[in-house]
């Protein structure tokens, strides 16, 4: 920008610089995805596509099995007086909402203090950039999380109207999903920290040899 003789006020220069950086980073990201064949789209689409048919299929099956006459009418479980009727105490629907919300926020449980501070600094920097006139950026992760938070409340309402057998299945599925998500998040966090530790150790270790002085070793 200096070499090209560009002039303007601070906001104009910052806006131009930001746009150019985004173009360069987007192009580099596309190159890396093409080079390593690691497009994020399949990892976003495949999990729901592989799980939804089973989830929807079992939900429809249990809903039809709860239509009278059915032996589910004489079965009870915890707060359910009957697997055919909705939970009269709203206990299972509320538990379902909490489990769904916990599943969304499980990534925050495995973060250490340094990672939380880093995320807070990024959010403050983004807020400062927007306050100075920058355009808000769309973050897919935040959009997905906000959608899932709304879904947590919606599932409470829907589960309050469904047969007890369906609500019980949803709670069981959500509990298993929470354990699975937490285990994967914890494993990924441990992997990142080990890699960071190795990188930091590699930077601090000095080469050993006859040319290494006492001052360097200290």
């Amino acid at each position: 920008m200096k070499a090209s003789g560009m002039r303007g006020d601070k906001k104009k220069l910052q806006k131009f610089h930001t746009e150019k950086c985004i173009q360069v980073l987007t192009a580099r990201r596309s190159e890396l995805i093409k080079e390593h064949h690691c497009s994020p789209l399949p990892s976003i689409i495949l999990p729901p596509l592989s799980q939804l048919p089973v989830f929807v299929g079992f939900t429809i099956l249990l809903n039809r099995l709860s239509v009278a006459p059915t032996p589910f009418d004489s079965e009870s479980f915890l707060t359910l007086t009957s697997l055919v009727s909705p939970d009269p105490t709203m206990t299972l629907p509320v538990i379902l909402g909490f489990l769904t919300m916990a599943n969304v926020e499980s990534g925050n449980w495995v973060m250490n203090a340094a990672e939380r501070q880093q995320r807070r600094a990024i959010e403050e920097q983004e807020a400062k950039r927007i306050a100075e006139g920058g355009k808000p950026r769309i973050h897919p992760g935040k959009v997905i999380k906000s959608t899932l938070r709304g879904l947590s409340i919606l599932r409470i309402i829907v589960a309050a109207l469904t047969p007890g057998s369906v609500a019980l299945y949803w709670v069981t599925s959500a509990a298993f999903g929470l354990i699975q998500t937490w285990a994967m998040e914890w494993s990924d966090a441990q992997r990142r920290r080990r890699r960071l530790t190795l990188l930091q150790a590699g930077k601090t270790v000095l080469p050993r040899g006859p040319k290494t002085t006492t001052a360097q070793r200290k």
Side-chain angles (χ1 to χ4, degrees):
M1 291 165 61
K2 185 176 180 181
S4 62
M6 185 175 181
R7 296 291 182 269
D9 57 9
K10 183 178 179 180
K11 288 185 177 180
K12 180 181 178 181
L13 295 175
Q14 285 180 340
K15 181 180 178 181
F16 180 83
H17 180 267
T18 301
E19 290 175 353
K20 288 297 181 182
C21 285
I22 291 174
Q23 291 176 5
V24 172
L25 291 173
T26 302
R28 179 58 179 158
R29 178 175 178 268
S30 300
E31 291 176 3
L32 290 173
I33 289 175
K34 189 179 295 184
E35 178 183 350
H36 298 283
H37 306 287
C38 59
S39 175
L41 192 60
S43 62
I44 296 174
I45 296 178
L46 288 178
L49 288 180
S50 62
Q51 297 178 21
L52 278 177
V54 178
F55 180 80
V56 174
F58 268 91
T59 298
I60 295 174
L61 175 64
L62 290 172
N63 188 58
R64 291 187 177 181
L65 288 175
S66 301
V67 177
T70 173
F72 280 4
D73 194 21
S74 59
E75 298 291 338
S76 61
F77 184 79
L78 295 179
T79 57
L80 295 173
T81 56
S82 171
L83 294 182
V84 174
S85 305
D87 188 352
T89 64
M90 287 288 294
T91 302
L92 287 181
V94 172
I95 291 176
L96 175 64
F98 275 111
L99 288 174
T100 307
M101 184 68 73
N103 206 339
V104 177
E105 305 295 339
S106 60
N108 298 330
W109 302 351
V110 296
M111 294 176 63
N112 55 29
E115 291 171 340
R116 288 192 179 93
Q117 185 176 0
Q118 182 180 9
R119 173 178 288 187
R120 199 177 301 114
I122 294 174
E123 291 175 351
E124 291 175 356
Q125 185 178 2
E126 180 71 8
K128 182 180 178 181
R129 188 187 64 80
I130 295 174
E132 292 177 351
K135 293 182 179 180
R137 298 172 186 170
I138 298 176
H139 300 277
K142 290 184 178 180
V143 173
I144 294 173
K145 277 196 170 185
S146 299
T147 304
L148 292 176
R149 291 188 185 106
L151 181 62
S152 303
I153 300 173
L154 181 62
R155 293 190 78 180
I156 296 176
I157 300 173
V158 176
L161 304 174
T162 58
S165 59
V166 176
L168 182 59
Y169 167 61
W170 287 357
V171 170
T172 307
S173 177
F176 177 79
L178 177 61
I179 296 172
Q180 180 184 13
T181 303
W182 179 85
M184 294 176 67
E185 293 281 0
W186 181 84
S187 176
D188 185 59
Q190 294 299 316
R191 180 183 57 81
R192 292 198 311 268
R193 289 165 190 166
R194 284 196 299 268
R195 184 174 59 184
L196 181 61
T197 302
L198 291 174
L199 288 174
Q200 291 175 346
K203 291 179 180 179
T204 56
V205 172
L206 293 171
R208 296 181 180 179
K211 293 184 179 180
T212 303
T213 64
T214 305
Q216 285 177 323
R217 286 194 295 270
K218 290 181 180 180

